[in-house]
Amino acid sequence: MNDIRRPIKAALLQVHSLAGLALALLWAVVGITGATMAFEDEIEASLNSHIMRVDASATRRLTPDELVARLQSAGDFGRASAVTMASDPSAAARIRFARSEGGARPSSVYVDPYDGHVLGSPRGEDFFATVRKLHRWLLLPGDGNGIGRKITGSAAICLIVMLITGLVLRWPHRARSVKMWLKPNLGLRGRGLHRSLHAVIGTWVLPVYLVMTLTGLWYSFEWYEAGANWLLARPQATDAAMQPKPPRGAAAAAGKGEAKIEAKAEAKPLAFDRVWTTFLQQENNDYGRVLLTLPAGAGTAVRVRSWPRDSSLESVRDEFRVDAVTGRVISSDRYADKTFGERVLVGVLDIHRGAILGWPGKLAFMLAAAMMPLFAVTGLLLYLSRRKHRRLARQPMGHLVPGE
């Protein structure tokens, strides 16, 4: 049996080593950037606490269009594309802007919901936006529509291969021994220590890396997303799914029977207030935070995402499409109506970063992602050590004994 296993393990070692050498730097970049974004929300909230809160007042809060009008009168900030409102009377409103013709997006601003004066742009926003682009598509041209997205997706598939081959290669003779699996031998030196750290810590993080890669593929390949929807979502839910977000630079598809409405809407920019009024009628003021986003193309359907007051997860939200001209609800997608599988689908991001397990999960996923460079370094050292060992083994014995 050993004669059979030996060439198989040798082949797996070759695959593991060559793939690791080719992609170690890429995995290290993705890991470090992912770890950097683990507590992005908490970091930004800490950096910008002075502009995210206002003094609560009995005065009527301004509507989204009134906030945008006050902002435009205060300066040239660009065309508003999204507004975030909160039910908390002490929470500031946030306004985001559309991309310029060159593709750049201006920084968002927080505004006082009572008088509309500008509180400031959030610190850290541009930094995390750059880190996110590096993490998802390596800052390559085209962003989400470019080659970088496919490269990171292919690297994720290769990482799954690395996890499987690594598990097979390190399978100990005493497989039932927890100590053999999970305790590194820190008393070793050199190659032995490198192998122990590489194998044991790799075992620690293997489940986390597997979750990260399987969820990360969702953002890289349309076929993977379609397959997950087919597997986990009800057919009727798939048929009634929300319209997908159009790619950057592409016009949004017009809804059926809305051509005449859009022709009339071309004379002036779309507004938020009719959508806002419809949303309040739908929710009866039972929401914690709501984000209204104008369509990227020529459509009139505004995307409305609403989170409950007690939610800390991005995925626990209701979504609507509301016509900005008529105020008609085009589609409604409520979280409470979803099956378990559909909740998994909308929670891919929260699962990917460990947020589904609360802050301990985010911390565990952050530490696992930050360890990726460790495997690149120890893997390279092990590869060089094997090459040196083989080179010495091929030399004549006389060359190894001085003085002969």
Side-chain angles (χ1 to χ4, degrees), residues 107-296:
S107 297
S108 63
V109 295
Y110 282 95
V111 296
D112 191 309
Y114 297 100
D115 59 19
H117 82 268
V118 178
L119 300 172
S121 295
R123 288 184 289 181
E125 181 182 52
D126 293 339
F127 168 77
F128 281 112
T130 301
V131 172
R132 190 175 300 107
K133 290 180 180 179
L134 180 59
H135 180 77
R136 291 180 175 177
W137 39 77
L138 308 176
L139 296 178
L140 293 175
D143 290 348
N145 298 321
I147 190 62
R149 182 178 174 220
K150 305 303 181 184
I151 293 176
T152 54
S154 300
I157 294 176
C158 292
L159 183 57
I160 295 176
V161 174
M162 291 290 289
L163 296 175
I164 296 173
T165 55
L167 182 62
V168 173
L169 289 169
R170 82 141 305 189
W171 198 273
H173 295 294
R174 291 181 292 162
R176 295 182 180 180
S177 171
V178 176
K179 179 180 178 180
M180 290 290 294
W181 280 106
L182 301 179
K183 184 179 179 181
N185 190 344
L186 301 180
L188 297 174
R189 293 292 182 269
R191 182 181 179 187
L193 178 61
H194 300 154
R195 182 187 293 110
S196 180
L197 293 175
H198 192 88
V200 175
I201 297 179
T203 304
W204 293 353
V205 300
L206 187 147
V208 176
Y209 283 177
L210 193 59
V211 171
M212 286 179 174
T213 51
L214 291 177
T215 52
L217 288 171
W218 171 276
Y219 299 100
S220 295
F221 299 110
E222 288 79 5
W223 58 264
Y224 188 89
E225 181 180 354
N229 277 289
W230 174 83
L231 182 65
L232 297 175
R234 297 167 295 175
Q236 60 269 32
T238 303
D239 294 338
M242 309 284 283
Q243 295 180 7
K245 182 180 178 181
R248 292 185 180 91
K256 185 177 180 180
E258 296 177 355
K260 293 182 179 179
I261 294 175
E262 291 180 7
K264 295 179 180 178
E266 288 177 358
K268 61 179 181 180
L270 294 179
F272 291 99
D273 277 4
R274 193 178 294 274
V275 176
W276 179 241
T277 300
T278 300
F279 168 77
L280 292 179
Q281 292 172 350
Q282 289 278 320
E283 295 297 283
N284 194 26
N285 207 37
D286 186 21
Y287 68 94
R289 174 171 57 95
V290 59
L291 172 62
L292 297 86
T293 306
L294 293 177

Side-chain angles (χ1 to χ4, degrees), residues 369-387:
M371 286 182 181
M372 187 61 78
L374 171 68
F375 301 109
V377 173
T378 55
L380 177 61
L381 291 175
L382 288 172
Y383 175 78
L384 295 175
S385 177
R386 282 196 303 272
R387 283 181 60 89

